[in-house]
Coordinates of all heavy atoms in Angstrom, one line a residue:
R17 N 28.5 -97.1 98.0 CA 27.8 -96.1 98.8 C 27.6 -96.6 100.2 O 27.3 -97.8 100.4 CB 26.4 -95.9 98.1 CG 25.4 -95.1 98.8 CD 24.2 -94.7 98.0 NE 23.2 -95.8 98.0 CZ 22.3 -96.0 98.9 NH1 22.3 -95.2 100.0 NH2 21.4 -96.9 98.8
S18 N 27.8 -95.7 101.1 CA 27.7 -96.1 102.5 C 26.3 -95.8 103.0 O 25.6 -94.9 102.5 CB 28.7 -95.3 103.4 OG 28.6 -95.7 104.7
E19 N 25.8 -96.5 103.9 CA 24.4 -96.4 104.4 C 24.5 -96.5 105.9 O 25.3 -97.2 106.5 CB 23.7 -97.6 103.8 CG 22.2 -97.7 104.1 CD 21.6 -98.9 103.4 OE1 21.8 -100.0 103.8 OE2 20.9 -98.6 102.3
T20 N 23.5 -95.8 106.6 CA 23.4 -96.0 108.1 C 22.1 -96.6 108.4 O 21.1 -96.3 107.8 CB 23.6 -94.6 108.8 OG1 22.6 -93.8 108.4 CG2 24.9 -94.0 108.5
T21 N 22.1 -97.4 109.5 CA 20.9 -98.0 110.1 C 20.9 -97.5 111.5 O 21.9 -97.5 112.2 CB 21.0 -99.5 110.0 OG1 21.0 -99.9 108.7 CG2 19.7 -100.1 110.7
E22 N 19.7 -97.0 111.9 CA 19.5 -96.5 113.3 C 18.6 -97.5 114.0 O 17.6 -97.9 113.5 CB 19.0 -95.1 113.3 CG 19.9 -94.1 112.6 CD 19.4 -92.6 112.8 OE1 18.4 -92.4 113.4 OE2 20.1 -91.8 112.3
L23 N 19.1 -97.7 115.3 CA 18.3 -98.6 116.1 C 18.0 -97.9 117.5 O 18.8 -97.2 118.0 CB 19.1 -99.9 116.5 CG 19.6 -100.8 115.4 CD1 20.5 -101.8 115.9 CD2 18.4 -101.4 114.6
Q24 N 16.8 -98.1 118.0 CA 16.5 -97.6 119.3 C 16.6 -98.7 120.3 O 15.9 -99.7 120.2 CB 15.0 -97.0 119.3 CG 14.7 -96.2 120.5 CD 15.4 -94.9 120.6 OE1 15.7 -94.3 119.6 NE2 15.9 -94.6 121.8
I25 N 17.6 -98.6 121.2 CA 17.9 -99.7 122.1 C 17.2 -99.4 123.4 O 16.8 -98.3 123.8 CB 19.4 -99.7 122.4 CG1 20.3 -99.5 121.2 CG2 19.9 -100.9 123.2 CD1 20.3 -100.7 120.3
E26 N 17.0 -100.5 124.2 CA 16.4 -100.4 125.5 C 17.2 -101.2 126.5 O 17.7 -102.3 126.1 CB 15.0 -100.9 125.6 CG 13.9 -100.0 125.0 CD 12.5 -100.4 125.2 OE1 12.3 -101.7 125.2 OE2 11.6 -99.6 125.3
G27 N 17.4 -100.7 127.7 CA 18.0 -101.5 128.7 C 19.4 -101.1 129.1 O 20.0 -101.7 130.0
M28 N 20.0 -100.1 128.4 CA 21.4 -99.7 128.7 C 21.3 -98.7 129.9 O 20.5 -97.7 129.9 CB 22.0 -99.0 127.5 CG 22.2 -99.9 126.3 SD 23.0 -99.1 125.0 CE 21.9 -97.8 124.6
T29 N 22.1 -98.9 130.9 CA 22.1 -98.0 132.0 C 23.5 -97.4 132.4 O 23.6 -96.5 133.2 CB 21.6 -98.7 133.3 OG1 22.4 -99.9 133.5 CG2 20.1 -99.1 133.2
C30 N 24.5 -97.9 131.7 CA 25.8 -97.3 132.0 C 26.7 -97.3 130.8 O 26.4 -97.9 129.8 CB 26.5 -98.1 133.2 SG 27.1 -99.7 132.7
A31 N 27.9 -96.7 131.0 CA 28.8 -96.6 129.9 C 29.3 -97.9 129.4 O 29.7 -98.1 128.2 CB 30.0 -95.7 130.2
S32 N 29.4 -98.9 130.3 CA 29.8 -100.2 129.9 C 28.8 -100.9 129.0 O 29.2 -101.6 128.1 CB 30.1 -101.1 131.2 OG 31.2 -100.6 131.9
C33 N 27.5 -100.6 129.3 CA 26.5 -101.2 128.5 C 26.7 -100.6 127.1 O 26.6 -101.4 126.1 CB 25.1 -100.7 129.0 SG 24.6 -101.3 130.6
V34 N 26.9 -99.3 127.0 CA 27.1 -98.7 125.7 C 28.3 -99.4 124.9 O 28.2 -99.7 123.7 CB 27.4 -97.2 125.8 CG1 27.9 -96.6 124.5 CG2 26.2 -96.5 126.4
S35 N 29.4 -99.6 125.6 CA 30.5 -100.2 125.0 C 30.2 -101.7 124.5 O 30.6 -102.1 123.4 CB 31.6 -100.3 126.1 OG 32.8 -101.0 125.6
R36 N 29.4 -102.4 125.3 CA 29.1 -103.8 124.9 C 28.2 -103.7 123.7 O 28.4 -104.6 122.8 CB 28.2 -104.4 126.0 CG 29.0 -104.9 127.2 CD 28.0 -105.3 128.3 NE 28.7 -105.7 129.5 CZ 28.1 -105.8 130.7 NH1 26.8 -105.6 130.7 NH2 28.7 -106.2 131.7
V37 N 27.3 -102.8 123.6 CA 26.4 -102.8 122.4 C 27.2 -102.3 121.2 O 27.0 -102.9 120.1 CB 25.2 -101.8 122.7 CG1 24.4 -101.6 121.4 CG2 24.3 -102.4 123.8
E38 N 28.1 -101.4 121.4 CA 28.9 -100.9 120.3 C 29.7 -102.1 119.7 O 29.9 -102.2 118.5 CB 29.8 -99.7 120.7 CG 29.0 -98.4 120.8 CD 29.8 -97.2 121.2 OE1 30.9 -97.4 121.8 OE2 29.3 -96.1 121.0
K39 N 30.3 -102.8 120.6 CA 31.2 -103.9 120.2 C 30.4 -105.0 119.5 O 30.8 -105.6 118.5 CB 31.9 -104.5 121.4 CG 33.0 -103.7 121.9 CD 33.9 -104.5 122.8 CE 35.2 -103.7 123.3 NZ 34.9 -102.9 124.4
A40 N 29.2 -105.3 120.0 CA 28.3 -106.3 119.4 C 27.9 -105.9 118.0 O 27.9 -106.7 117.1 CB 27.1 -106.5 120.3
L41 N 27.6 -104.6 117.8 CA 27.2 -104.1 116.5 C 28.4 -104.1 115.6 O 28.3 -104.5 114.4 CB 26.6 -102.7 116.6 CG 25.2 -102.7 117.3 CD1 24.8 -101.2 117.6 CD2 24.2 -103.3 116.4
A42 N 29.5 -103.7 116.1 CA 30.7 -103.6 115.2 C 31.2 -105.0 114.7 O 31.9 -105.1 113.7 CB 31.9 -102.9 116.0
A43 N 30.8 -106.0 115.5 CA 31.2 -107.4 115.2 C 30.4 -108.0 114.1 O 30.7 -109.1 113.6 CB 31.2 -108.3 116.4
V44 N 29.3 -107.4 113.7 CA 28.4 -107.9 112.7 C 29.2 -107.7 111.3 O 29.6 -106.6 111.0 CB 27.0 -107.2 112.6 CG1 26.2 -107.7 111.4 CG2 26.3 -107.5 113.9
P45 N 29.3 -108.8 110.5 CA 30.0 -108.7 109.3 C 29.5 -107.6 108.4 O 28.3 -107.5 108.2 CB 29.9 -110.1 108.6 CG 29.6 -111.0 109.8 CD 28.9 -110.2 110.8
G46 N 30.4 -106.7 107.9 CA 30.0 -105.6 107.0 C 29.9 -104.3 107.7 O 30.0 -103.2 107.1
V47 N 29.8 -104.3 109.0 CA 29.6 -103.0 109.8 C 31.0 -102.3 109.8 O 32.0 -102.9 110.1 CB 29.1 -103.3 111.2 CG1 29.2 -102.0 112.0 CG2 27.7 -103.8 111.2
T48 N 31.0 -101.0 109.4 CA 32.2 -100.3 109.4 C 32.3 -99.4 110.6 O 33.4 -99.0 111.0 CB 32.3 -99.4 108.1 OG1 31.1 -98.7 107.9 CG2 32.6 -100.3 106.9
S49 N 31.2 -99.0 111.2 CA 31.3 -98.2 112.5 C 29.9 -98.3 113.2 O 28.9 -98.5 112.6 CB 31.6 -96.8 112.3 OG 30.5 -96.0 111.8
A50 N 30.0 -98.3 114.5 CA 28.8 -98.3 115.4 C 29.0 -97.4 116.5 O 30.0 -97.4 117.2 CB 28.6 -99.8 115.9
S51 N 28.0 -96.5 116.7 CA 28.1 -95.5 117.7 C 26.8 -95.5 118.5 O 25.7 -95.4 117.9 CB 28.3 -94.1 117.1 OG 28.3 -93.1 118.1
V52 N 26.9 -95.6 119.8 CA 25.7 -95.6 120.6 C 25.6 -94.4 121.6 O 26.7 -94.1 122.2 CB 25.6 -96.9 121.4 CG1 24.5 -96.9 122.4 CG2 25.5 -98.1 120.5
N53 N 24.5 -93.8 121.7 CA 24.3 -92.7 122.6 C 23.5 -93.1 123.8 O 22.3 -93.6 123.6 CB 23.6 -91.5 121.9 CG 23.5 -90.3 122.7 OD1 22.8 -90.3 123.8 ND2 24.0 -89.2 122.3
L54 N 24.1 -93.0 125.0 CA 23.4 -93.6 126.2 C 22.1 -92.7 126.5 O 21.1 -93.3 126.9 CB 24.4 -93.5 127.4 CG 23.8 -94.1 128.7 CD1 23.3 -95.5 128.6 CD2 24.9 -93.9 129.8
A55 N 22.2 -91.4 126.4 CA 21.1 -90.6 126.8 C 19.9 -90.8 125.9 O 18.7 -90.9 126.4 CB 21.5 -89.1 126.7
T56 N 20.1 -90.9 124.6 CA 19.0 -91.1 123.6 C 18.7 -92.6 123.4 O 17.7 -92.9 122.8 CB 19.3 -90.4 122.3 OG1 20.4 -91.0 121.7 CG2 19.5 -88.9 122.5
E57 N 19.6 -93.5 123.8 CA 19.5 -94.9 123.6 C 19.5 -95.2 122.1 O 18.9 -96.2 121.7 CB 18.3 -95.5 124.3 CG 18.4 -95.5 125.8 CD 17.4 -96.3 126.5 OE1 16.2 -95.9 126.5 OE2 17.7 -97.3 127.1
K58 N 20.1 -94.4 121.3 CA 20.1 -94.6 119.9 C 21.4 -95.1 119.4 O 22.5 -94.6 119.8 CB 19.7 -93.3 119.2 CG 19.6 -93.4 117.6 CD 19.4 -92.1 117.0 CE 18.0 -91.6 117.0 NZ 17.9 -90.4 116.1
A59 N 21.4 -96.1 118.5 CA 22.6 -96.6 117.8 C 22.6 -96.2 116.4 O 21.6 -96.3 115.7 CB 22.6 -98.1 117.9
V60 N 23.7 -95.7 115.9 CA 23.9 -95.4 114.5 C 25.0 -96.3 114.0 O 26.1 -96.3 114.4 CB 24.3 -93.9 114.3 CG1 24.5 -93.6 112.8 CG2 23.3 -93.0 114.9
V61 N 24.6 -97.1 113.0 CA 25.5 -98.1 112.5 C 25.7 -97.9 111.0 O 24.8 -97.7 110.2 CB 24.9 -99.5 112.6 CG1 25.8 -100.6 112.1 CG2 24.5 -99.8 114.1
T62 N 27.0 -97.8 110.6 CA 27.4 -97.5 109.2 C 27.9 -98.8 108.5 O 28.6 -99.6 109.1 CB 28.5 -96.5 109.2 OG1 28.0 -95.3 109.9 CG2 28.8 -96.0 107.8
H63 N 27.5 -99.0 107.3 CA 27.9 -100.2 106.5 C 27.7 -99.8 105.0 O 26.8 -99.0 104.7 CB 27.1 -101.4 106.9 CG 25.6 -101.1 107.0 ND1 24.8 -101.1 106.0 CD2 24.8 -100.7 108.1 CE1 23.5 -100.8 106.3 NE2 23.6 -100.5 107.6
P64 N 28.3 -100.5 104.1 CA 28.1 -100.3 102.7 C 26.6 -100.7 102.4 O 26.0 -101.6 103.0 CB 29.0 -101.3 102.0 CG 30.1 -101.6 103.0 CD 29.4 -101.5 104.4
A65 N 26.0 -99.9 101.5 CA 24.6 -100.0 101.2 C 24.2 -101.5 100.9 O 24.9 -102.1 100.1 CB 24.2 -99.1 100.1
G66 N 23.2 -102.0 101.5 CA 22.7 -103.3 101.2 C 23.4 -104.5 101.8 O 23.0 -105.6 101.6
T67 N 24.4 -104.2 102.6 CA 25.2 -105.4 103.1 C 24.8 -105.9 104.4 O 25.1 -107.1 104.8 CB 26.7 -105.0 103.2 OG1 26.8 -103.9 104.1 CG2 27.3 -104.7 101.9
V68 N 24.1 -105.1 105.2 CA 23.7 -105.5 106.6 C 22.2 -105.3 106.8 O 21.8 -104.2 106.5 CB 24.5 -104.8 107.6 CG1 24.2 -105.2 109.0 CG2 26.0 -105.0 107.4
S69 N 21.5 -106.3 107.3 CA 20.1 -106.1 107.5 C 19.8 -105.6 108.9 O 20.6 -105.9 109.8 CB 19.3 -107.4 107.2 OG 19.6 -108.3 108.3
R70 N 18.7 -104.9 109.0 CA 18.3 -104.4 110.4 C 18.1 -105.6 111.3 O 18.5 -105.6 112.5 CB 17.0 -103.7 110.2 CG 16.2 -103.4 111.5 CD 15.1 -102.5 111.2 NE 15.6 -101.2 110.7 CZ 16.0 -100.2 111.5 NH1 15.9 -100.3 112.8 NH2 16.4 -99.1 111.0
N71 N 17.6 -106.7 110.8 CA 17.4 -107.9 111.6 C 18.7 -108.4 112.2 O 18.8 -108.8 113.3 CB 16.7 -109.0 110.8 CG 16.2 -110.1 111.7 OD1 15.5 -109.9 112.7 ND2 16.6 -111.3 111.3
Q72 N 19.7 -108.5 111.4 CA 21.0 -108.9 111.9 C 21.5 -108.1 113.0 O 22.1 -108.6 114.0 CB 22.1 -108.8 110.8 CG 22.1 -109.9 109.7 CD 23.1 -109.6 108.6 OE1 22.8 -108.8 107.8 NE2 24.3 -110.2 108.7
L73 N 21.3 -106.8 112.9 CA 21.8 -105.9 113.9 C 21.0 -106.0 115.2 O 21.5 -106.1 116.3 CB 21.7 -104.4 113.4 CG 22.6 -104.1 112.2 CD1 22.3 -102.7 111.7 CD2 24.1 -104.3 112.5
E74 N 19.7 -106.2 115.0 CA 18.8 -106.4 116.2 C 19.2 -107.7 116.9 O 19.2 -107.7 118.2 CB 17.3 -106.4 115.8 CG 16.8 -105.1 115.3 CD 15.3 -105.1 115.0 OE1 14.7 -106.2 115.1 OE2 14.8 -104.0 114.6
K75 N 19.5 -108.7 116.2 CA 19.8 -110.0 116.8 C 21.1 -109.8 117.6 O 21.2 -110.4 118.7 CB 20.0 -111.1 115.7 CG 18.7 -111.7 115.4 CD 18.8 -112.6 114.1 CE 19.3 -113.9 114.4 NZ 19.2 -114.8 113.1
A76 N 22.1 -109.1 117.1 CA 23.3 -108.9 117.8 C 23.1 -108.2 119.1 O 23.8 -108.5 120.1 CB 24.3 -108.1 116.9
V77 N 22.3 -107.2 119.1 CA 22.0 -106.5 120.3 C 21.3 -107.3 121.3 O 21.6 -107.4 122.5 CB 21.1 -105.2 120.0 CG1 20.7 -104.5 121.3 CG2 21.9 -104.2 119.1
R78 N 20.3 -108.1 120.9 CA 19.5 -108.9 121.8 C 20.4 -110.1 122.4 O 20.2 -110.5 123.5 CB 18.3 -109.5 121.0 CG 17.3 -108.5 120.6 CD 15.9 -109.0 120.5 NE 14.9 -107.9 120.3 CZ 14.5 -107.4 119.2 NH1 15.0 -108.0 118.1 NH2 13.7 -106.5 119.1
A79 N 21.3 -110.6 121.5 CA 22.2 -111.6 122.0 C 23.1 -111.1 123.2 O 23.5 -111.9 124.0 CB 23.1 -112.1 120.9
R80 N 23.2 -109.8 123.3 CA 24.0 -109.2 124.4 C 23.1 -108.9 125.6 O 23.6 -108.3 126.5 CB 24.8 -108.0 123.9 CG 26.1 -108.3 123.3 CD 26.8 -109.3 124.2 NE 28.2 -109.0 124.3 CZ 29.0 -109.3 125.4 NH1 28.4 -109.9 126.4 NH2 30.2 -109.0 125.4
G81 N 21.8 -109.1 125.4 CA 21.0 -108.9 126.6 C 20.2 -107.6 126.6 O 19.6 -107.2 127.6
Y82 N 20.3 -106.8 125.5 CA 19.6 -105.6 125.4 C 18.4 -105.7 124.4 O 18.5 -106.6 123.6 CB 20.5 -104.4 125.1 CG 21.7 -104.3 126.0 CD1 22.9 -105.0 125.8 CD2 21.5 -103.6 127.2 CE1 23.9 -104.9 126.7 CE2 22.5 -103.6 128.2 CZ 23.7 -104.2 127.9 OH 24.7 -104.2 128.8
D83 N 17.5 -104.8 124.5 CA 16.3 -104.9 123.7 C 16.4 -103.8 122.6 O 17.1 -102.8 122.8 CB 15.0 -104.8 124.5 CG 13.9 -105.6 123.8 OD1 14.1 -106.1 122.7 OD2 12.8 -105.6 124.4
V84 N 15.7 -104.1 121.5 CA 15.6 -103.1 120.4 C 14.1 -102.8 120.2 O 13.3 -103.7 120.1 CB 16.2 -103.6 119.1 CG1 16.1 -102.6 118.0 CG2 17.6 -104.0 119.3
V85 N 13.8 -101.5 120.2 CA 12.4 -101.1 120.0 C 12.0 -101.4 118.5 O 12.7 -101.0 117.6 CB 12.2 -99.6 120.2 CG1 10.8 -99.2 120.0 CG2 12.6 -99.3 121.7
K86 N 10.9 -102.1 118.3 CA 10.4 -102.4 117.0 C 9.8 -101.2 116.4 O 9.0 -100.5 117.0 CB 9.4 -103.5 117.0 CG 10.1 -104.9 117.1 CD 10.7 -105.2 115.7 CE 11.3 -106.6 115.7 NZ 12.1 -106.9 114.5
R87 N 10.1 -101.0 115.1 CA 9.5 -99.8 114.4 C 8.1 -100.1 114.0 O 7.8 -101.3 113.6 CB 10.4 -99.5 113.2 CG 11.7 -98.9 113.5 CD 12.2 -98.3 112.2 NE 13.4 -97.5 112.4 CZ 14.1 -96.9 111.5 NH1 13.7 -97.1 110.2 NH2 15.1 -96.2 111.7
A88 N 7.3 -99.1 113.9 CA 5.9 -99.3 113.5 C 5.9 -99.6 112.0 O 6.8 -99.1 111.3 CB 5.1 -98.1 113.8
Ligands
9UX30 MO1 27.1 -101.9 134.6 MO2 25.7 -101.5 132.3 O1 26.9 -103.5 135.5 O2 24.7 -103.1 132.3 S1 27.5 -102.7 132.4 S2 25.0 -101.2 134.3

């Protein structure tokens, strides 16, 4: 079963930022696709259920210099 994780990103201002974040997310082991919307700053990441943790994805984004909004 495939599962999606959504992240709210902060700090992206251009299409290159979007590309960087998408590449960073896609490089996390297990991720099958990563799509980032610049206007909404939302990332949708697809992976087999249970294979990728939200924390791993957040770390990948932060390592690239962007921030992730923490969920309540
Ligand atoms: Mo262009 Mo996006 O320098 O950081 S890649 S604004």
Side-chain angles (χ1 to χ4, degrees):
R17 170 172 86 80
S18 182
E19 184 175 76
T20 61
T21 300
E22 297 188 1
L23 303 172
Q24 192 66 40
I25 315 286
E26 280 186 332
M28 299 183 297
T29 54
C30 74
S32 294
C33 296
V34 170
S35 176
R36 285 173 184 164
V37 173
E38 285 179 340
K39 285 196 176 84
L41 290 168
V44 175
V47 170
T48 48
S49 77
S51 175
V52 173
N53 183 300
L54 180 59
T56 61
E57 294 189 291
K58 185 190 274 190
V60 180
V61 184
T62 306
H63 46 83
T67 57
V68 181
S69 72
R70 168 170 297 275
N71 189 53
Q72 281 175 279
L73 298 174
E74 290 185 358
K75 275 167 82 171
V77 172
R78 293 205 171 93
R80 271 315 221 153
Y82 301 95
D83 208 356
V84 181
V85 179
K86 276 291 182 187
R87 288 193 170 180

